[in-house]
Amino acid sequence: MNEPHPLSAWSESERAYFRQNGYWVDQPLGEQLRNWASQQPESIALVSGKQRLSYRELDHLADRLAAGFASRGIRSGDNMLLQLPNSIGLVATLFALFRLGARPILAMPGQKSADIDALCRVAEPKAWLFPERYLGNDYQAMAQEIAVNHPGMQCWQVNTDDITNNPPMKAFQADPLYFPPPHAEEIALLLLSGGSTGTPKLIPRTHTDYFYNARRMAEICQISSQSVYLATLAVAHNFTLSCPGVLGTLLSGGKVVLAQTSGCDEVFPLIEQEKVTFTALVPPLVTLWLECREWDESDLSSLQLIQVGGARLESTLAAKVKPAFDCQLQQVFGMAEGLICCTRLDDSEDVILNTQGRPISDADQIRVVNHEGLPVEAGCPGELLTHGPYTIGGYYRAETQNLQAFTSDHFYRSGDIVRLTAAGNFVVEGRLKELVNRAGEKISCAEIESLIDSHPAVTSCVVIGVADARLGERICACFQGDASLALTKLRGFLLQAGLSEHKLPDQLLPVTRWPLTAVGKIDKRQLASLAQPEGDSCEFSHHLPLQTSPLDVIYHLLKNETDCHIAYEHNEVWDIGIGSLAQVALYSDRAELQLPDAALQTWQGANWKINLQRALDALPYKKWHAYGVSHFELSHLIHEVSSPLLATVTPLLTLFVPRLRLKLGENSAELIATSEQELQQLIGRLKESDRVAEITPPEAHWKARVEKCIREQDAHDYCQRVAHAIKDIQRGEYQKVILSRQITLNESVDLLASYHYGRRFNNPARSYVARLKGDYFVGFSPETVVEVSDSGVVSTQPLAGTRALTSDEAENLRLREVLINDTKEIAEHAVSVKLAIEEILPLCESDSAHVSNFMNVSLRGSVQHLASRVKGQLRTDFNAWDAFGALFPAVTASGIPKRPAIEAIQRLEPVTRGAYSGSVFMVNSQGEMDAALVLRSLYQHDCGVALQAGAGIIDQSLPERELEETIEKLQSVSRFIISM
């Protein structure tokens, strides 16, 4: 056997004491698996997807992989970097290396080249094992870069399917061989620490201390052979691996279920199917699981325990866990360096909700000290120092860091500020070290600072954590330098430099002078205060009461307005922008920015999002609010549909930052302007507009003429086009297409009066008046394309399935019953919801995308629809425009799959759509977006006014029924048209 590793926290007398008193057992982890396999060979040890592995099979697989790695040159004492997602292949590889005496380095699946390169420089691994693909990460490009920097390391790419398929890791297996077991006090594996510098710190854990860690947590959590553990977090996390996690469950004879993501759509069915009894989460996941539980009906009754760790769990959030999941909560506070504290299952509710528990071992030694290293009084906060049978005495190959991180008597300086209660439980108050605790991940400020400092626009930089309701702490980069530097550009620069996505700044704060403390250090508390959200940046605002309705004010205010304007209604509040401080126009090959008294700026390229973002980044305003319109033909660009329409001189998307803004509610108005003079002028205009609008309802003969048009104009041709589309669908060219018909009235129409009158009889999701760049239309949208909050919550509301809504409630109930039982309508709606989920899923945190309010009936004017809500939490590397690009055009506007449906629309519809089935939207610099689908609208044309409506065509469609559906939809507008 090899000797114990030299970097030991323990004296010889301490090691003897731990052995004699049962804390340590003299058997390495690889041999422990043999014990477990001999005791219950046929019991299921691991579940991953459809694959199930017994303890005997896991034991045999570990032997075959150990032999396979040995045949590739891996020897006892070698380091091997593992970067694999949760899988049977990962767990089996760990035990294979334990048996070889080789040391796995556990990297997270999402870490990028800068992290991997730094790990390789410190640990000099013999090989790096990484997947072919995982959640969109490009490992192949990263491998090429790493191979150049580390030519002596073998790079082994594992086919993604090979990780979990039967047999897993088949390319790396060989006939079993005997290998002398390593010493139990040798290093078993190297975990990653958050670290306070840019260089990753490696945590050497021995076989014996790590086994004790897992065994003691299993005892506290009362794990048995009946226990089923769901690994929702990465197995590479210490929390997931041994607290008690995977190791603690296996040593107890239980079953481990490996989830690929933490998403409710994956894990809730797993809990129900595998009868999961316990799992581990970080606080942000608790929030998302609670939200999902409000609508999810999965049977989670098997759950007995939810552990929460990685960051402090606020008591108000903690109190929601047990009622929502009907199981015990356990707070876990610890560190991969060793010490684990937790609440006990029989603790009082006060202890479980308001503390982070107490040490798991009676041999744990604890000190709470002030900045001078002296003990603090009981109940006072101080830094936590610890020493014990499973806490390391030094980082791997990090002599300089060890001088700072450990005392001379081997106590670890945790950097956590804690307070000890009278009952001996810890309350975590914060961090001493320069780390940001973002969504449970400890991220080095110094690492990010060093990369930002290399940006040519940055003179100096300080990275801080800022309290954030969603993430716990968000990463804020404060800098001196070019204040026009945009966050998107900085994030792109850092990605190019190899920084992992989860370490990218969430916020950018330019400062002209560093705030200093009394002793001359940068005051980070003051920076954090400056980084908190500010109010509206406009200096000139005023509130006025309203005597009449917002509709009356809008009619008079906009009647003679010739400058660009949009009035956008959301929840019975009208947000209005008038005039342009800046206007952005997006074309197929470029984006243009026009500022007052300035030359036109142009950004050319093939990527529409990059072009658009460059134009937005060039806006000379720190905070801005914009309004805009996108044409349906933008979908040709997004979905790469070849079309002569893309060469048009008409912009595909136009937005403007207004000179004047108003917010009109039921009884009041808020006015916002860029100067005091303009504000006073706007106040005068509003007062003059605050009067009743005299709108004369349309006469019977006029309504009859309009009704005749919508029933007869284009009716025969439309039915023929529908029949053609049904044949396309039956041939398998696409599943669904939305075909529309345009009705033109060669008459003079008062659009604002029609909007005023029609809004009184419609119940829209959004309504709008829009006039800019050749577009002038009003309407009552039944749904949104996309909604994004400033915290990154994204949602959309697919509508599909339609019946008329009349003045006869009995008839409405009858039609509603027909609607919810019509297999054609149900099928049409189901595929629309499925597509919406598929579109937002790649953009969202893995645990967040879900469907709520499934197939409710929504009442909109003259029509009732089947409606559902699809919702998720955007990943931090995506923004509102990514969500817009994924969801545009709305399923209700195009069809499924979108590209073939768009191509069919181009073939089958006689005119271009323009704004119809495009969007009208509001967006701001804080990341919020609200984009309404442009339907149920009146469009001003050169020769009059047009209406347009469509129907969803599937293989069960009938042309006559789809024609009738367009008539029902057109009537939600046509009955309210006011002629001049």
Side-chain angles (χ1 to χ4, degrees):
M1 286 189 180
N2 297 323
E3 291 301 312
H5 79 91
L7 189 62
S8 175
W10 312 282
S11 65
E12 181 53 46
S13 61
E14 283 181 312
R15 298 210 305 271
Y17 174 81
F18 294 149
R19 288 192 296 266
Q20 292 166 9
N21 290 275
Y23 297 98
W24 291 358
V25 296
D26 191 19
Q27 191 173 49
L29 288 167
E31 299 308 301
Q32 291 284 352
L33 175 58
R34 296 198 197 281
N35 294 343
W36 310 336
S38 65
Q39 292 168 12
Q40 46 188 47
E42 301 309 318
S43 296
I44 297 300
L46 298 175
V47 175
S48 180
K50 296 180 180 180
Q51 190 177 10
R52 310 172 81 83
L53 223 64
S54 69
Y55 276 83
R56 176 182 55 79
E57 290 169 329
L58 175 59
D59 181 53
H60 182 64
L61 178 57
D63 276 341
R64 291 189 60 82
L65 287 173
F69 293 139
S71 70
R72 291 169 175 253
I74 304 300
R75 301 289 182 263
S76 180
D78 286 344
N79 294 331
M80 183 166 160
L81 182 59
L82 302 187
Q83 192 181 17
L84 296 177
N86 289 3
S87 58
I88 287 175
L90 172 59
V91 177
T93 296
L94 283 174
F95 282 106
L97 297 177
F98 292 157
R99 288 184 175 172
L100 274 176
R103 299 178 295 216
I105 305 165
L106 293 181
M108 299 300 160
Q111 287 185 292
K112 297 296 178 65
S113 59
D115 286 336
I116 299 302
D117 180 72
L119 290 172
C120 293
R121 292 183 189 280
V122 173
E124 299 177 328
K126 281 287 189 70
W128 170 34
L129 204 60
F130 58 94
E132 177 185 35
R133 60 184 183 277
Y134 178 69
L135 297 182
N137 289 310
D138 183 3
Y139 295 95
Q140 189 60 47
M142 184 164 65
Q144 293 173 359
E145 179 183 343
I146 295 298
V148 172
N149 294 338
H150 304 278
M153 180 181 69
Q154 300 182 70
C155 297
W156 297 339
Q157 186 176 55
V158 183
N159 182 289
T160 307
D161 297 330
D162 191 34
I163 297 175
T164 54
N165 278 357
N166 193 13
M169 307 282 290
K170 56 187 176 184
F172 297 89
Q173 295 185 36
D175 292 337
L177 300 169
Y178 172 76
F179 301 100
H183 195 287
E185 295 177 33
E186 261 289 307
I187 296 174
L189 73 167
L190 295 163
L191 302 173
L192 270 60
S193 173
S196 58
T197 71
T199 304
K201 295 197 294 292
L202 294 171
I203 302 166
R205 300 297 297 265
T206 68
H207 291 269
T208 188
D209 87 69
Y210 210 53
F211 179 62
Y212 174 66
N213 186 133
R215 174 165 58 91
R216 181 63 188 131
M217 277 297 291
E219 292 168 355
I220 291 172
C221 295
Q222 300 175 18
I223 306 306
S224 70
S225 60
Q226 302 305 307
S227 298
V228 181
Y229 176 64
L230 177 63
T232 56
L233 304 171
V235 170
H237 275 295
N238 181 58
F239 190 15
T240 318
L241 186 56
S242 70
C243 297
V246 174
L247 293 180
T249 303
L250 292 177
L251 70 87
S252 305
K255 179 172 71 176
V256 174
V257 180
L258 300 165
Q260 288 292 297
T261 71
S262 305
C264 302
D265 57 335
E266 178 185 357
V267 298
F268 282 7
L270 282 175
I271 293 171
E272 180 175 352
Q273 175 185 320
E274 300 295 337
K275 306 301 179 188
V276 170
T277 61
F278 77 114
T279 190
L281 305 176
V282 292
L285 282 179
V286 175
T287 301
L288 293 169
W289 278 34
L290 288 169
E291 290 178 357
C292 292
R293 197 58 184 149
E294 291 178 3
W295 56 266
D296 181 84
E297 296 181 355
S298 301
D299 180 4
L300 309 185
S301 59
S302 62
L303 269 179
Q304 300 170 12
L305 176 66
I306 291 178
Q307 300 176 290
V308 182
R312 178 175 174 175
L313 180 66
E314 294 298 330
S315 58
T316 52
L317 184 58
K320 297 177 182 179
V321 173
K322 192 169 184 177
F325 295 97
D326 193 25
C327 68
Q328 183 60 285
L329 166 70
Q330 181 185 61
Q331 294 214 44
V332 181
F333 156 61
M335 51 213 70
E337 287 83 355
L339 177 71
I340 304 295
C341 301
C342 65
T343 57
R344 304 313 198 255
L345 304 190
D346 57 355
D347 276 343
S348 68
E349 184 175 353
D350 177 65
V351 168
I352 291 174
L353 297 185
N354 297 295
T355 80
Q356 282 67 57
R358 52 197 178 275
I360 64 172
S361 176
D362 56 10
D364 280 317
Q365 300 177 52
I366 299 297
R367 297 174 187 166
V368 182
V369 302
N370 62 19
H371 65 281
E372 296 177 347
L374 300 175
V376 300
E377 295 182 7
C380 294
E383 184 186 6
L384 173 64
L385 277 59
T386 182
H387 178 72
Y390 58 102
T391 298
I392 67 170
Y395 292 109
Y396 184 73
R397 296 181 180 174
E399 293 182 9
T400 301
Q401 293 170 339
N402 288 339
L403 293 174
Q404 300 174 348
F406 297 87
T407 67
S408 58
D409 54 351
H410 298 292
F411 271 72
Y412 171 59
R413 304 181 194 272
S414 71
D416 292 296
I417 304 300
V418 301
R419 174 170 50 84
L420 195 60
T421 70
N425 292 293
F426 285 112
V427 177
V428 179
E429 301 283 359
R431 290 287 299 168
L432 179 69
K433 293 182 179 180
E434 304 300 318
L435 298 178
V436 178
N437 193 343
R438 184 184 186 279
E441 292 284 350
K442 313 302 190 298
I443 297 168
S444 162
C445 294
E447 177 186 11
I448 307 172
E449 288 169 353
S450 65
L451 291 174
I452 294 177
D453 279 334
S454 66
H455 193 286
V458 174
T459 305
S460 58
C461 172
V462 171
V463 171
I464 59 172
V466 178
D468 187 280
R470 179 166 65 100
L471 300 170
E473 284 186 318
R474 65 178 179 270
I475 302 170
C476 178
C478 313
F479 75 103
Q480 290 182 329
D482 184 357
S484 67
L485 176 64
L487 179 61
T488 52
K489 291 186 177 180
L490 178 62
R491 287 165 65 95
F493 172 84
L494 295 174
L495 282 173
Q496 286 290 104
L499 190 68
S500 298
E501 288 178 2
H502 72 281
K503 298 180 181 181
L504 294 173
D506 304 294
Q507 182 180 359
L508 195 56
L509 179 68
V511 294
T512 55
R513 182 179 301 172
W514 293 118
L516 302 177
T517 65
V519 295
K521 294 186 177 181
I522 292 176
D523 190 340
K524 295 185 178 180
R525 288 188 178 182
Q526 190 172 342
L527 286 175
S529 177
L530 292 171
Q532 290 295 343
E534 302 174 10
D536 196 290
S537 60
C538 182
E539 296 180 41
F540 305 96
S541 64
H542 190 75
H543 290 263
L544 283 175
L546 287 183
Q547 307 302 317
T548 57
S549 75
L551 286 171
D552 290 323
V553 174
I554 289 169
Y555 178 79
H556 292 298
L557 183 71
L558 301 181
K559 189 168 182 63
N560 297 311
E561 180 61 64
T562 57
D563 209 343
C564 61
H565 57 266
I566 286 180
Y568 190 90
E569 180 197 4
H570 180 194
N571 293 333
E572 298 186 346
V573 173
W574 279 259
D575 200 316
I576 305 169
I578 302 174
S580 175
L581 288 173
Q583 192 163 105
V584 173
L586 178 70
Y587 298 85
S588 62
D589 60 346
R590 68 192 187 281
E592 296 177 348
L593 170 62
Q594 183 65 68
L595 298 170
D597 303 319
L600 183 71
Q601 299 180 62
T602 302
W603 291 266
Q604 293 185 318
N607 188 309
W608 71 271
K609 275 190 290 188
I610 291 176
N611 293 343
L612 179 59
Q613 193 62 60
R614 286 172 176 169
L616 295 175
D617 288 343
L619 289 171
Y621 315 111
K622 181 178 179 181
K623 289 190 176 182
W624 49 263
H625 187 100
Y627 305 79
V629 171
S630 63
H631 285 189
F632 176 78
E633 283 71 33
L634 176 62
S635 65
H636 296 173
L637 184 61
I638 293 174
H639 294 278
E640 300 178 342
V641 174
S642 177
S643 171
L645 300 174
L646 294 181
T648 180
V649 295
T650 303
L652 300 172
L653 179 148
T654 307
L655 63 82
F656 69 98
V657 178
R659 193 179 71 257
L660 306 172
R661 279 188 68 194
L662 303 93
K663 293 183 181 180
L664 307 182
E666 184 178 357
N667 299 305
S668 65
E670 180 184 4
L671 291 71
I672 305 165
T674 55
S675 71
E676 182 64 41
Q677 180 181 4
E678 285 195 319
L679 180 63
Q680 292 304 318
Q681 292 172 351
L682 184 58
I683 290 171
R685 286 184 62 182
L686 182 74
K687 289 180 176 179
E688 195 278 330
S689 301
D690 189 10
R691 53 193 169 94
V692 173
E694 301 292 343
I695 307 295
T696 303
E699 296 179 355
H701 69 88
W702 166 252
K703 292 173 69 174
R705 286 169 58 191
V706 174
E707 181 72 12
K708 180 178 174 64
C709 283
I710 68 170
R711 287 195 171 276
E712 297 179 2
Q713 194 179 119
D714 191 46
H716 176 71
D717 289 346
Y718 181 74
C719 287
Q720 286 189 320
R721 296 198 301 273
V722 170
H724 192 154
I726 293 171
K727 291 180 181 179
D728 288 348
I729 294 169
Q730 291 171 345
R731 286 195 298 269
E733 294 183 20
Y734 40 87
Q735 294 173 263
K736 174 183 175 182
V737 67
I738 313 300
L739 286 186
S740 70
R741 47 191 292 253
Q742 185 182 97
I743 309 302
T744 301
L745 304 177
N746 297 314
E747 307 281 351
S748 295
V749 169
D750 188 334
L751 259 62
L752 280 174
S754 302
Y755 172 74
H756 185 291
Y757 186 59
R759 177 59 184 85
R760 290 158 51 191
F761 297 93
N762 273 280
N763 179 33
R766 305 288 187 271
S767 77
Y768 40 77
V769 175
R771 186 168 194 167
L772 74 165
K773 280 279 186 180
D775 284 312
Y776 184 23
F777 58 91
V778 301
F780 319 106
S781 175
E783 63 176 290
T784 55
V785 177
V786 64
E787 301 161 49
V788 182
S789 72
D790 60 355
S791 62
V793 176
V794 58
S795 68
T796 186
Q797 188 182 35
L799 300 184
T802 306
R803 284 296 184 274
L805 185 62
T806 71
S807 58
D808 184 343
E809 186 54 31
E811 175 65 4
N812 292 337
L813 289 173
R814 185 191 71 78
L815 290 172
R816 197 170 306 155
E817 191 68 21
V818 171
L819 175 61
I820 62 178
N821 289 286
D822 189 317
T823 56
K824 178 264 179 186
E825 305 287 18
I826 293 170
E828 182 183 348
H829 187 78
V831 295
S832 299
V833 172
K834 179 176 182 291
L835 178 62
I837 274 283
E838 290 171 350
E839 286 174 332
I840 72 166
L841 201 59
L843 307 181
C844 288
E845 298 286 356
S846 58
D847 49 353
S848 66
H850 64 273
V851 181
S852 60
N853 303 321
F854 182 61
M855 229 155 36
N856 284 356
V857 177
S858 176
L859 309 180
R860 301 296 188 204
S862 63
V863 182
Q864 46 190 332
H865 298 280
L866 293 178
S868 298
R869 173 67 65 179
V870 176
K871 191 174 182 181
Q873 176 67 57
L874 282 180
R875 287 165 43 192
T876 55
D877 48 328
F878 292 114
N879 63 22
W881 290 110
D882 294 301
F884 180 86
L887 290 162
F888 186 88
V891 178
T892 314
S894 57
I896 304 170
K898 282 188 175 176
R899 179 171 176 170
I902 294 165
E903 291 171 338
I905 290 168
Q906 187 176 231
R907 293 194 309 271
L908 297 174
E909 291 194 3
V911 295
T912 59
R913 288 186 169 186
Y916 167 71
S917 70
S919 72
V920 56
F921 58 84
M922 296 191 302
V923 63
N924 65 29
S925 54
Q926 280 70 54
E928 293 177 287
M929 176 181 281
D930 197 283
L933 176 58
V934 179
L935 301 177
R936 318 292 194 270
S937 298
L938 280 171
Y939 310 88
Q940 182 73 60
H941 285 190
D942 293 338
C943 56
V945 166
L947 300 89
Q948 196 160 348
I953 316 301
I954 63 173
D955 59 353
Q956 300 174 46
S957 291
L958 298 173
E960 294 75 16
R961 168 60 204 147
E962 306 307 341
L963 174 65
E964 186 62 30
E965 183 172 318
T966 68
I967 294 170
E968 291 166 355
K969 292 173 178 176
L970 289 167
Q971 285 173 336
S972 65
V973 178
S974 66
R975 293 181 296 168
F976 312 110
I977 298 176
I978 308 293
S979 61
M980 296 290 279

